[in-house]
Amino acid sequence: PSGYLTLSRLPLAIFYPFLAVTPGRALFFYLLAQATDFLDGYVARKRDECSHTGSVLDGWLDKVFAINAAWTLVVFDYIPGWWMWCWFARELIQAPMVFWLVGRFHRGQVRPHHSSLLGKATTWGIAISMVSAMLGLVQIGSILVLVIGVFSTLSGLDYLLREIRQTRQIPIDWSGHEPPTGTIESDRAA
């Protein structure tokens, strides 16, 4: 059930540009997607269905929806295009990490990733400024977007530095033999 709620954001993301033809409709479908994001986590925790895969999928679908919603707001002239640079500075910093993380996944070196306070503040800031734009409160959003740009950049750098620190703690076997298992903590205990 929680996985279905998570996956329900994909069609919302794909069809958002066709659904958001007025600010009221844009707001309705944006809030619907946010509700599914809240509910999938709640249901997963309540039913003890939390998983690493679900967490990664949830994060990626959040990003896909947010970016698609943002460019839709730009296309319909609800916001100026430069807002996207501020909103998604974190993703621009994280983008090169994808190749590294895929390699670690392939080698069996998957580690849980947790959001940071800066990351959560960025996500909430983006949501509030998107809603303010859809409500026609662009002046409030313009001020907020500058703060979000700072948070987003700091959040992206924080994720990058955490990944570098974790990488230094993981022994890498380039020979193709069986990869190390366990978590960083269990590797230290061994």
Side-chain angles (χ1 to χ4, degrees), residues 1 21 36 40 42 61 72 92 103 113 115-116 119-120 133 137-138 142-143 145 147 152 157 162 174:
V21 294
T36 65
D40 68 356
Y42 176 79
L61 285 173
T72 299
L92 292 170
H113 291 89
S115 58
S116 68
K120 293 231 181 251
L137 306 172
V138 179
S142 293
I143 295 166
V145 79
V147 175
S152 185
L157 292 172
R162 281 198 285 166
W174 296 100

Short mmCIF file of all heavy atoms in Angstrom, two decimals, residues 1 21 36 40 42 61 72 92 103 113 115-116 119-120 133 137-138 142-143 145 147 152 157 162 174:
data_model
loop_
_atom_site.label_atom_id
_atom_site.label_comp_id
_atom_site.label_asym_id
_atom_site.label_seq_id
_atom_site.Cartn_x
_atom_site.Cartn_y
_atom_site.Cartn_z
N PRO A 1 0.80 -1.22 0.00
CA PRO A 1 0.00 0.00 0.00
C PRO A 1 0.84 1.28 0.00
O PRO A 1 0.53 2.19 -0.74
CB PRO A 1 -0.85 -0.11 1.25
CG PRO A 1 -1.00 -1.58 1.49
CD PRO A 1 0.27 -2.18 0.98
N VAL A 21 -3.20 24.04 -15.68
CA VAL A 21 -3.46 25.11 -16.65
C VAL A 21 -3.97 26.40 -16.00
O VAL A 21 -3.96 27.45 -16.63
CB VAL A 21 -4.43 24.64 -17.75
CG1 VAL A 21 -3.79 23.56 -18.61
CG2 VAL A 21 -5.74 24.13 -17.14
N THR A 36 0.22 12.67 -1.00
CA THR A 36 0.68 11.28 -1.21
C THR A 36 2.08 11.09 -0.64
O THR A 36 2.40 10.02 -0.14
CB THR A 36 0.66 10.88 -2.70
OG1 THR A 36 1.61 11.66 -3.42
CG2 THR A 36 -0.72 11.00 -3.30
N ASP A 40 2.51 8.25 2.15
CA ASP A 40 3.28 7.03 1.90
C ASP A 40 4.27 6.75 3.04
O ASP A 40 4.41 5.62 3.47
CB ASP A 40 3.97 7.04 0.53
CG ASP A 40 5.09 8.05 0.39
OD1 ASP A 40 5.34 8.84 1.32
OD2 ASP A 40 5.71 8.06 -0.69
N TYR A 42 3.92 7.83 6.18
CA TYR A 42 3.12 7.50 7.35
C TYR A 42 2.66 6.05 7.30
O TYR A 42 2.80 5.30 8.27
CB TYR A 42 1.92 8.45 7.44
CG TYR A 42 0.98 8.12 8.57
CD1 TYR A 42 1.29 8.50 9.88
CD2 TYR A 42 -0.20 7.42 8.34
CE1 TYR A 42 0.43 8.18 10.92
CE2 TYR A 42 -1.05 7.10 9.38
CZ TYR A 42 -0.73 7.49 10.66
OH TYR A 42 -1.58 7.16 11.70
N LEU A 61 11.17 10.19 -6.68
CA LEU A 61 9.88 10.67 -7.18
C LEU A 61 9.58 12.07 -6.67
O LEU A 61 8.98 12.88 -7.38
CB LEU A 61 8.76 9.70 -6.82
CG LEU A 61 8.75 8.43 -7.67
CD1 LEU A 61 7.72 7.43 -7.15
CD2 LEU A 61 8.48 8.75 -9.13
N THR A 72 6.89 23.65 -14.97
CA THR A 72 5.52 23.94 -15.41
C THR A 72 5.13 25.35 -14.96
O THR A 72 4.52 26.10 -15.73
CB THR A 72 4.54 22.90 -14.83
OG1 THR A 72 4.90 21.61 -15.32
CG2 THR A 72 3.11 23.21 -15.22
N LEU A 92 21.70 20.11 -8.46
CA LEU A 92 22.82 20.32 -9.38
C LEU A 92 24.13 19.84 -8.76
O LEU A 92 24.98 19.29 -9.46
CB LEU A 92 22.92 21.81 -9.76
CG LEU A 92 21.77 22.33 -10.62
CD1 LEU A 92 21.85 23.85 -10.73
CD2 LEU A 92 21.78 21.68 -11.99
N GLY A 103 27.75 3.03 -8.94
CA GLY A 103 28.91 2.15 -8.83
C GLY A 103 28.96 1.46 -7.48
O GLY A 103 29.24 0.26 -7.40
N HIS A 113 20.97 6.38 3.39
CA HIS A 113 21.17 7.83 3.33
C HIS A 113 20.01 8.50 4.05
O HIS A 113 18.85 8.14 3.82
CB HIS A 113 21.23 8.30 1.87
CG HIS A 113 22.45 7.85 1.17
ND1 HIS A 113 22.51 6.64 0.50
CD2 HIS A 113 23.67 8.40 1.05
CE1 HIS A 113 23.71 6.48 -0.01
NE2 HIS A 113 24.44 7.54 0.32
N SER A 115 18.15 12.19 5.30
CA SER A 115 18.07 13.61 4.98
C SER A 115 18.64 14.42 6.15
O SER A 115 18.68 13.96 7.28
CB SER A 115 16.63 14.01 4.69
OG SER A 115 15.82 13.70 5.79
N SER A 116 19.07 15.62 5.82
CA SER A 116 19.61 16.51 6.84
C SER A 116 18.59 17.59 7.16
O SER A 116 17.60 17.77 6.43
CB SER A 116 20.90 17.16 6.33
OG SER A 116 20.61 18.06 5.27
N GLY A 119 18.46 19.88 4.31
CA GLY A 119 17.70 19.29 3.21
C GLY A 119 16.21 19.42 3.42
O GLY A 119 15.46 19.75 2.51
N LYS A 120 15.77 19.15 4.64
CA LYS A 120 14.34 19.27 4.95
C LYS A 120 13.89 20.73 4.85
O LYS A 120 12.81 21.02 4.33
CB LYS A 120 14.05 18.72 6.35
CG LYS A 120 14.25 17.22 6.44
CD LYS A 120 13.04 16.58 7.05
CE LYS A 120 13.27 15.09 7.17
NZ LYS A 120 12.47 14.35 6.23
N ALA A 133 3.53 31.12 -4.96
CA ALA A 133 3.44 31.53 -6.37
C ALA A 133 2.08 31.17 -6.95
O ALA A 133 1.48 31.95 -7.69
CB ALA A 133 4.56 30.88 -7.18
N LEU A 137 1.14 35.15 -4.68
CA LEU A 137 1.96 35.91 -3.73
C LEU A 137 3.43 35.86 -4.15
O LEU A 137 4.30 35.42 -3.41
CB LEU A 137 1.78 35.34 -2.32
CG LEU A 137 0.32 35.25 -1.83
CD1 LEU A 137 0.25 34.49 -0.52
CD2 LEU A 137 -0.26 36.64 -1.68
N VAL A 138 3.70 36.34 -5.35
CA VAL A 138 5.03 36.22 -5.94
C VAL A 138 6.06 37.04 -5.15
O VAL A 138 7.23 36.64 -5.06
CB VAL A 138 5.00 36.64 -7.42
CG1 VAL A 138 6.37 36.55 -8.06
CG2 VAL A 138 4.01 35.76 -8.18
N SER A 142 9.49 35.55 -3.94
CA SER A 142 10.76 36.11 -4.41
C SER A 142 11.76 36.26 -3.28
O SER A 142 12.96 36.02 -3.46
CB SER A 142 10.54 37.47 -5.08
OG SER A 142 9.81 37.32 -6.26
N ILE A 143 11.29 36.67 -2.15
CA ILE A 143 12.19 36.81 -0.99
C ILE A 143 12.58 35.43 -0.48
O ILE A 143 13.75 35.15 -0.23
CB ILE A 143 11.49 37.63 0.13
CG1 ILE A 143 11.26 39.06 -0.35
CG2 ILE A 143 12.32 37.59 1.42
CD1 ILE A 143 10.31 39.86 0.52
N VAL A 145 12.71 32.63 -2.07
CA VAL A 145 13.52 31.85 -2.99
C VAL A 145 15.01 32.15 -2.81
O VAL A 145 15.85 31.27 -3.01
CB VAL A 145 13.05 32.05 -4.46
CG1 VAL A 145 13.55 33.36 -5.04
CG2 VAL A 145 13.47 30.89 -5.32
N VAL A 147 16.51 32.85 0.07
CA VAL A 147 16.90 32.09 1.26
C VAL A 147 17.02 30.61 0.91
O VAL A 147 17.97 29.93 1.31
CB VAL A 147 15.88 32.30 2.40
CG1 VAL A 147 16.19 31.42 3.60
CG2 VAL A 147 15.83 33.77 2.81
N SER A 152 19.62 25.50 -0.21
CA SER A 152 19.76 24.45 -1.21
C SER A 152 21.24 24.18 -1.52
O SER A 152 21.67 23.03 -1.59
CB SER A 152 19.00 24.83 -2.48
OG SER A 152 19.02 23.80 -3.42
N LEU A 157 26.01 20.72 -0.69
CA LEU A 157 27.40 20.56 -0.24
C LEU A 157 27.49 19.62 0.96
O LEU A 157 28.41 18.81 1.06
CB LEU A 157 28.01 21.92 0.10
CG LEU A 157 28.23 22.84 -1.10
CD1 LEU A 157 28.65 24.23 -0.63
CD2 LEU A 157 29.25 22.25 -2.07
N ARG A 162 29.16 14.50 3.15
CA ARG A 162 28.83 13.25 3.86
C ARG A 162 29.19 12.04 3.02
O ARG A 162 29.69 11.05 3.54
CB ARG A 162 27.34 13.21 4.23
CG ARG A 162 27.02 14.04 5.45
CD ARG A 162 25.69 13.65 6.04
NE ARG A 162 24.59 14.17 5.23
CZ ARG A 162 23.33 13.76 5.36
NH1 ARG A 162 23.02 12.82 6.22
NH2 ARG A 162 22.38 14.28 4.63
N TRP A 174 38.72 -3.39 -5.95
CA TRP A 174 38.63 -3.20 -7.39
C TRP A 174 38.84 -4.50 -8.16
O TRP A 174 38.73 -4.52 -9.38
CB TRP A 174 39.66 -2.17 -7.86
CG TRP A 174 39.41 -0.83 -7.28
CD1 TRP A 174 40.06 -0.27 -6.22
CD2 TRP A 174 38.42 0.12 -7.69
NE1 TRP A 174 39.54 0.97 -5.94
CE2 TRP A 174 38.53 1.24 -6.85
CE3 TRP A 174 37.45 0.13 -8.68
CZ2 TRP A 174 37.72 2.35 -6.96
CZ3 TRP A 174 36.65 1.25 -8.80
CH2 TRP A 174 36.78 2.34 -7.96
#
